[in-house]
Every structure is written in structure tokens, then in C-alpha cells.
Amino acid sequence: MARTKKRPAKKRGTRAYHGPAVVIHKNLAELDRKFLIHPLTHPKDLEKHPPRIIVKGKGMMMWDLEGKEYLDGFAGLWCMAVGHNHPKIIEAVHKQMKKLSYFTSFHGHSSPPSIELAAKLATMFNPAYNLTRTWFTCGGSETNETQFKMARLYWQLQGKTDKNKILSRRFSYHGMGLATTAATGIFPFHWNIDPLPAGFITVGAPYCYQCEWDKEYPGCDFECITDLEETIKNEGAETIAAFVAEPVIGSGGVIPPPKEYFPRVREICDKNNILLILDEVITGFGRTGKMFAHEHWGGIRPDMLSLAKGISSGHIPLGAAVMNAKIYDTIGEYQDERMPIMHGFTYMNHPVACAAGLANIEVIEQEGLVKRSEENGKYLLEGLRTLRKYKSVGDVRGLGLLAALELVGDREKRTPILPENSAPDCLVDECWKRGLYIRSSTMETVAVAPALIIDKKTIDRIIDILDDAIPAMEKQLLNK
Ligand SMILES: Cc1ncc(COP(=O)(O)O)c(C=O)c1O
């Protein structure tokens, strides 16, 4: 009987599953080239260089498909505050997934992690700032899009229908939605996608190393501030809803402002009744050596605060549009009661993402990562400054664990190595070859922004690799 018993049927699809998996593994690079679209990547580049496929991460390190190990000197994309694959975040996500993987927060519905994270955030700011209202998004662009719409809504509901322009700064980066692209002051992002939404205006940035007005700080008359004041005067304060600014410009070249800059910006916004949106998508959660960068310079009160990246250390997409409760309450007071706030994304206040955010903040606080960022940030900057021995290293700047080298062909004139933008890419390539990932920007800079868990020994390793990679880059590009 037993011999004639039918063997249990093979699970359907078992072979079909294993077969293609092997083939897919072997051909991943080919499939990537064929099917995947990469942000900030020229399609022809992928034909020349195979995609770098990262398959594993742990703490400061990551590994590619061939098993080669890399030191992640850029925390993914300025986002992995607690490093790769933090077990506490993984556990929190796993637990929440098993309990409730998703439910909408539209129409007043809710879930515990989003409530707890909003309440937690409200305790993390200076209570005098009244930053107690938050909705969670999937990242920085959605967050800023939300802020711009709410700033306009706030004024328009009060009858100020002309008060709708958004001011931002040259070199700023605020995301890749249409409005956030229009607010972004790195102009290649604007090319060939016309028309951009109306009502976005840029003013000068406090980019002292390449001052638009050819002035030197200290000793200048803060022409960048004057530019802001004059723009407000010319446009009319009654037409401007908000001014959006990163406390330290990130993608535009890692540009920390002089200490006088933001206190004056706050005064100007107050004087002209303009909302100040601080975009802390990069700088939030310890990156600059304070929990939030607006705590520097004596403390700057944002009316709206944009957060993302470090809020979940990139483990799950999450952003937060935080606002002064007065803005929310005013909207509530004036909005027609038969009409909800007509804004929302499917994944707003996502329970799993918010669970990741809660666990991530707990790790940052319990492991004292903000203090570490402050101390090790100074050490990183000291190390990077030693690289000024190379003639191509023009400026070294940073705040906390957010730092950059600006590369120049001529130190006196501060002009780029030619062809423009080739040097940062070349240096980044040389670093990859030596097992280090850092990132170039279009502003002739190479940025270093490791996870906040980094220690001094690992910082030394970054500097050593750069010390070897910079001459290799110079050999290829200088004196051509
Ligand atoms: C300052 C700032 N704001 C907004 C964004 C957009 O965020 P996301 O890419 O998550 O949409 C970024 C992304 O790098 C950023 O650096």
C-alpha cells in the first residue's frame, strides 16, 4: 500500500521559480540596463558602465554582487543616520507589519505608530516654536509639496489670495515634484520640462566661497540678505507666501551659512509676514551635530519644518511636514466646514513607516548619536582640511557629519577643473575603486556624510582613501 501511495504533488511553480532566479542573478546587470530607470543617470552612461548592484549592508559597510566590500561614506543618500540594517528598526517594522501593514489616514482614520510619532516629534522642538502639528509623507519632495500648498492655503483662506509666491535660494534643493523643482535653485533641474509652475522666485545664497557679489565673509555687507530684502520689496510682501531654505544647503554643495544669516532671515520674514519653511530633509536628526540644524545660531524658529531621510534612516520611505499649530488651526477656522483639506497621499501617516521612525529616533537618542555627530564631525573636518595640501582642493567646509571638498583648477581664481563637473565624478570613481562611496554634486564638490555611528578610526580610513584618490584624479585631469 505504502509503495503505491502517491507522492505528494510538487508545489506548483517550484522549479519554475528556482530556474529563472539563477538566470536572473547572473543577468542582473543586463536586466537592469534593459528595464530599470535610474535617477540622476544618463541612459548612455549605463551602456558604458555596468550598474553597481549593492546586495547587502551592515552598519557602515555594504557589499556588491561580486562580494566586494565598500565603506559607505554617504549614508546611502544622506539618509542612513543609524547605518545600514539596524536590527531595532528591522524588528519594529517586522512587528508592525504583522499587526497592521497599512490602513489609510484619510477621512480622520488613524493608526497607533503615526499618532505616537507625531506626538514624539512635538516634544523634540523648542516648545516656544509651537511646532506641534505633523503629517507624514513618503519623503522630502512630498513633504515640501505639502508645505507649499499649506502655506498658500493658509493665506488664501484668510482672503490674501495674492500672497502665493514661494521664495527660495540659488543652489538650494527641495525635491523633484513640479513645484519642488521650481523651488530648487540648481538650474539644470529646470531644463527642458517647461512650463514650470508659476510663482517661484530665487534669491542669492550665502555661498561665501563663490560669492555672487565677489565679496569675502567676514567683511561683506551681506549682499545675499540685501538680495532677499530687495526681492521682497520688488515683488511686494503681500504677494509672498513663504521663504523656503535649507539650514545648510546640501545637494547644492554643502554650504553652511555664516552665523548671522538665519537670525536676519527670521527677522525679515517676521517683518514682512512671510512664513519661513526650513527644509531639514538632510540636516534633521543629528546630521549637523544638533538634533535639528535650526538649533544652531542661537535657535531659529521655523513656521514649517520639512523632515525626511534621517527620520527613518532610509530603512522605509518616510517624511514629515511639521507646522506651527497656529497655521493648522487657522486653516481649520477658515476652511468651509462642508469641505475637508483637499490634500493627501495614499501613504500618508503610514503605520509601518512611522513604526520605523519611532524605532530610529529611539536609537539616535539612546546611542547618543547627535553628540557623536558633533564630536566626530569636527574630527572629519580636521581630516578633510589636511587634504588642502593638494592644489585641486579649494575649499573644505561642513557642519557636523555633513562635509564637502570643493575642487578647483585654479585656487586663486576658484575656477573649476575642466571640463566642468568632471573632477567630482572622477574623484568619486577613484574612491569607489578603493572601496569608499562618497558623492559628487554639480557644484564641483564631493560630499562626505557618513552614518552618525561612524567612529574616528573609520573617519581616518575615509581620509586615507581620499589622500590616495585625489592625486589619482589630479593625474588624470590637471595639466591636460
Ligand atoms: C533638502 C532636501 N529637500 C528635499 C529633498 C527631496 O527629498 P526626496 O528625494 O525624499 O523626495 C531632498 C533630497 O535630497 C533634499 O536634500
Side-chain angles (χ1 to χ4, degrees):
M1 275 305 279
R3 244 179 283 145
T4 56
K5 200 175 167 186
K6 263 192 180 172
R7 275 203 246 154
K10 255 189 187 167
K11 270 192 194 148
R12 289 191 69 194
T14 308
R15 271 204 70 190
Y17 174 76
H18 284 297
V22 174
V23 177
I24 281 172
H25 182 79
K26 274 194 186 150
N27 295 323
L28 268 179
E30 206 179 308
L31 292 170
D32 180 296
R33 278 196 197 128
K34 244 186 183 161
F35 297 112
L36 195 61
I37 301 178
H38 295 257
L40 280 203
T41 307
H42 194 296
K44 286 184 185 153
D45 273 355
L46 283 176
E47 283 162 26
K48 283 185 244 151
H49 311 286
R52 190 173 282 108
I53 303 170
I54 301 297
V55 294
K56 199 175 120 184
K58 188 163 190 275
M60 294 298 305
M61 306 307 295
M62 54 189 191
W63 291 265
D64 72 10
L65 203 55
E66 274 76 47
K68 186 169 175 200
E69 183 183 76
Y70 299 94
L71 168 53
D72 183 353
F74 200 65
L77 200 62
W78 336 79
C79 57
M80 307 194 82
V82 303
H84 288 257
N85 295 31
H86 200 288
K88 287 195 178 149
I89 303 181
I90 295 170
E91 195 194 328
V93 165
H94 188 218
K95 249 171 127 175
Q96 182 56 42
M97 277 264 187
K98 285 204 292 189
K99 241 191 244 164
L100 176 74
S101 49
Y102 172 76
F103 192 63
T104 177
S105 65
F106 277 49
H107 315 300
H109 307 315
S110 207
S111 66
S114 53
I115 301 167
E116 284 167 29
L117 185 56
K120 169 68 190 170
L121 279 185
T123 67
M124 295 179 76
F125 315 115
N126 182 336
Y129 298 169
N130 206 20
L131 292 166
T132 58
R133 282 285 175 177
T134 299
W135 37 9
F136 296 102
T137 66
C138 290
S141 304
E142 278 188 9
T143 293
N144 284 327
E145 294 280 338
T146 299
Q147 304 286 42
F148 299 162
K149 284 173 76 177
M150 289 308 107
R152 286 180 170 179
L153 188 62
Y154 170 72
W155 293 118
Q156 293 189 19
L157 285 173
Q158 296 178 76
K160 298 184 176 162
T161 47
D162 290 339
K163 205 163 168 59
N164 55 43
K165 291 176 194 159
I166 309 285
L167 296 188
S168 63
R169 300 177 302 171
R170 294 188 269 286
F171 305 104
S172 67
Y173 184 87
H174 299 295
M176 290 293 100
L178 272 176
T180 41
T181 297
T184 288
I186 305 170
F187 297 114
F189 285 112
H190 291 198
W191 295 346
N192 303 317
I193 51 161
D194 292 322
L196 283 174
F200 291 82
I201 297 163
T202 58
V203 300
Y207 185 5
C208 302
Y209 186 68
Q210 301 279 1
C211 176
E212 269 185 57
W213 295 272
D214 269 334
K215 294 290 170 72
E216 285 287 338
Y217 172 84
C220 66
D221 290 323
F222 286 95
E223 281 75 4
C224 48
I225 295 273
T226 311
D227 191 35
L228 172 64
E229 282 177 314
E230 279 175 3
T231 305
I232 294 172
K233 206 164 138 205
N234 293 339
E235 298 290 330
E238 69 288 355
T239 72
I240 300 166
F243 177 50
V244 59
E246 301 158 84
V248 177
I249 287 176
S251 302
V254 182
I255 307 171
K259 62 183 185 311
E260 298 88 343
Y261 180 81
F262 273 106
R264 290 191 59 184
V265 163
R266 181 66 265 183
E267 268 173 41
I268 292 166
C269 288
D270 280 340
K271 201 170 110 197
N272 292 285
N273 228 4
I274 291 170
L275 298 174
L276 176 61
I277 306 173
L278 289 185
D279 182 347
E280 294 227 34
V281 165
I282 288 178
T283 57
F285 300 96
R287 168 73 40 212
T288 69
K290 301 261 186 212
M291 184 58 90
F292 300 101
H294 68 259
E295 295 167 20
H296 290 285
W297 318 299
I300 309 303
R301 174 179 52 83
D303 298 298
M304 300 173 121
L305 181 67
S306 298
L307 303 169
K309 297 196 189 271
I311 192 172
S312 60
S313 284
H315 285 50
I316 293 237
L318 181 64
V322 185
M323 65 185 78
N324 186 321
K326 199 182 124 211
I327 298 174
Y328 181 76
D329 292 345
T330 305
I331 291 171
E333 192 185 326
Y334 285 89
Q335 179 85 1
D336 185 327
E337 274 182 37
R338 291 159 300 177
M339 176 82 92
I341 296 176
M342 297 302 283
H343 180 72
F345 302 112
T346 299
Y347 299 123
M348 266 187 158
N349 305 330
H350 196 290
V352 178
C354 289
L358 279 164
N360 173 66
I361 294 171
E362 199 175 301
V363 173
I364 292 176
E365 289 182 339
Q366 283 180 355
E367 295 185 10
L369 295 185
V370 180
K371 191 89 199 120
R372 260 175 96 161
S373 167
E374 186 194 356
E375 285 166 11
N376 287 336
K378 284 181 190 147
Y379 188 74
L380 171 67
L381 210 53
E382 269 169 35
L384 291 174
R385 283 196 180 118
T386 63
L387 302 171
R388 288 205 78 230
K389 65 186 175 198
Y390 295 109
K391 62 181 174 185
S392 64
V393 178
D395 196 24
V396 177
R397 50 183 182 256
L399 191 63
L401 284 168
L402 178 58
L405 306 175
E406 180 160 338
L407 303 173
V408 289
D410 183 320
R411 249 210 201 146
E412 279 296 295
K413 296 190 191 129
R414 302 182 182 180
T415 46
I417 296 171
L418 295 174
E420 265 181 70
N421 297 328
S422 60
D425 285 344
C426 179
L427 180 55
V428 165
D429 274 353
E430 291 300 325
C431 288
W432 272 116
K433 283 184 208 159
R434 292 161 176 80
L436 169 68
Y437 161 53
I438 51 173
R439 190 194 179 206
S440 61
S441 100
T442 44
M443 319 323 296
E444 302 295 331
T445 53
V446 170
V448 183
L452 314 186
I453 54 170
I454 197 168
D455 55 22
K456 292 196 168 60
K457 214 167 123 211
T458 314
I459 291 175
D460 289 343
R461 200 164 143 204
I462 292 180
I463 305 300
D464 285 349
I465 293 176
L466 278 164
D467 204 356
D468 198 43
I470 293 170
M473 176 273 291
E474 287 188 347
K475 205 165 148 202
Q476 290 172 62
L477 296 179
L478 292 185
N479 310 317
K480 261 192 158 179

